[in-house]
Amino acid sequence: MDQVNKENNIDIQFLPLSETAVLVEFGKSISPEINSKVKSLGEYLERNSFPGMIEYVSAFSSVTVFYNPLVVMKNCKQAIGLKYSMAHQIVTGILKEAVGKLGSSFKSNPKVVEIPVCYGGEFGPDLPYVAEQNKLNIDEVIEIHSSGEYLVYMIGFAPGFPYLGGMSERIAAPRRQSPRTAIPARSVGIAGMQTGIYPITTPGGWQLIGSTPVELFRPTEDPPSLLQAGDIVRFRPISLKEYEKLREGKQ
């Protein structure tokens, strides 16, 4: 394990996961500040991949970089002037240098994505429960949910599924005790302090409060996920009539 002390008393750890991967961990907590560093490192690697790098995977507070050790040893050892004998040491050196450049050179400019949502009814069978759980009426839940700004921390669980942060604790609700075997694609749900959107039909235990006519997972497009880590999501309430019109237009 290796560490670099950074600003705000954050210890950045560089952990070899295997002979082919290094984990860069910016902290243990989930926060916009830490996630911005995750996003910045990902953007840097997009622009500045090194010989042997295969891919990187971003999470809430870390980036895992996968590489071919044979290519790294052949092409990077002499080029970056390191005397290390192992590939993970060379990759760690490259990543340390990259992290050192994140402070000012690679600031993220988040994309803001508006997601229309038809709340309640057949699309949101658990909306009354969320309201009752928080001693609110249904309109208040909708107003609170749709007035926030949500950071996409990462994409995972299912293709295009966004892990969103920033939901008000005023509408938090526990997961269902008995998960549904099939939640319809595009359903909007709440689980604990998180809200999210199911991009495809899948089992799940989130409390369903609405549905969006927008497809989040589009396998024929590049990229196939509408949302990307670092984006900002805003929800806009719409009527059933508008929902149906948007679906007819395949928005």
Side-chain angles (χ1 to χ4, degrees), residues 90-112:
I90 296 172
V91 172
T92 295
I94 293 171
L95 294 175
K96 277 187 177 182
E97 183 178 346
V99 167
K101 297 177 179 179
L102 300 184
S104 58
S105 299
F106 297 92
K107 296 293 184 182
S108 295
N109 295 312
K111 177 180 65 174
V112 178

Side-chain angles (χ1 to χ4, degrees), residues 137-158:
N137 62 49
I138 287 176
D139 288 340
E140 287 173 324
V141 173
I142 295 172
E143 194 278 330
I144 293 169
H145 188 264
S146 62
S147 64
E149 286 194 345
Y150 302 90
L151 172 64
V152 181
Y153 277 94
M154 64 179 182
I155 303 296
F157 164 62

Side-chain angles (χ1 to χ4, degrees), residues 11-236:
D11 286 332
I12 301 175
Q13 298 187 346
F14 298 81
L15 308 170
L17 297 185
S18 66
E19 295 180 349
T20 60
V22 169
L23 173 74
V24 183
E25 188 174 73
F26 291 93
K28 299 293 186 182
S29 62
I30 299 174
S31 73
E33 293 76 20
I34 288 178
N35 192 252
S36 69
K37 298 179 185 297
V38 170
K39 177 66 173 175
S40 294
L41 179 56
E43 291 179 352
Y44 178 91
L45 293 173
E46 287 282 352
R47 302 181 182 120
N48 302 275
S49 63
F50 55 87
M53 184 179 127
I54 298 172
E55 66 174 341
Y56 69 89
V57 177
S58 299
F60 280 109
S61 58
S62 65
V63 178
T64 302
V65 180
F66 295 88
Y67 57 88
N68 183 321
L70 297 179
V71 177
V72 167
M73 292 295 292
K74 180 179 179 180
N75 294 277
C76 299
K77 184 175 181 179
Q78 185 175 3
I80 63 176
L82 296 176
K83 299 179 180 179
Y84 298 134
S85 60
M86 301 182 69
H88 79 81
Q89 294 174 319
I90 296 172
V91 172
T92 295
I94 293 171
L95 294 175
K96 277 187 177 182
E97 183 178 346
V99 167
K101 297 177 179 179
L102 300 184
S104 58
S105 299
F106 297 92
K107 296 293 184 182
S108 295
N109 295 312
K111 177 180 65 174
V112 178
V113 182
E114 183 181 85
I115 303 292
V117 178
C118 183
Y119 290 93
E122 63 178 300
F123 295 140
D126 301 319
L127 183 57
Y129 170 80
V130 174
E132 181 182 357
Q133 179 77 12
N134 292 284
K135 297 180 173 56
L136 301 169
N137 62 49
I138 287 176
D139 288 340
E140 287 173 324
V141 173
I142 295 172
E143 194 278 330
I144 293 169
H145 188 264
S146 62
S147 64
E149 286 194 345
Y150 302 90
L151 172 64
V152 181
Y153 277 94
M154 64 179 182
I155 303 296
F157 164 62
F161 185 95
Y163 284 86
L164 303 177
M167 192 185 77
S168 171
E169 64 180 352
R170 294 172 61 197
I171 55 173
R175 293 172 180 265
R176 290 172 53 89
Q177 292 185 349
S178 298
R180 293 180 170 93
T181 57
I183 290 180
R186 304 183 311 281
S187 294
V188 178
I190 288 175
M193 286 287 295
Q194 285 190 298
T195 186
I197 310 166
Y198 286 84
I200 60 175
T201 300
T202 181
W206 290 37
Q207 306 288 350
L208 304 184
I209 63 171
S211 177
T212 177
V214 176
E215 298 288 350
L216 270 70
F217 179 58
R218 305 164 298 176
T220 61
E221 298 187 26
D222 184 20
S225 176
L226 172 66
L227 300 174
Q228 304 295 319
D231 290 349
I232 298 295
V233 170
R234 294 174 181 161
F235 294 110
R236 176 174 64 88

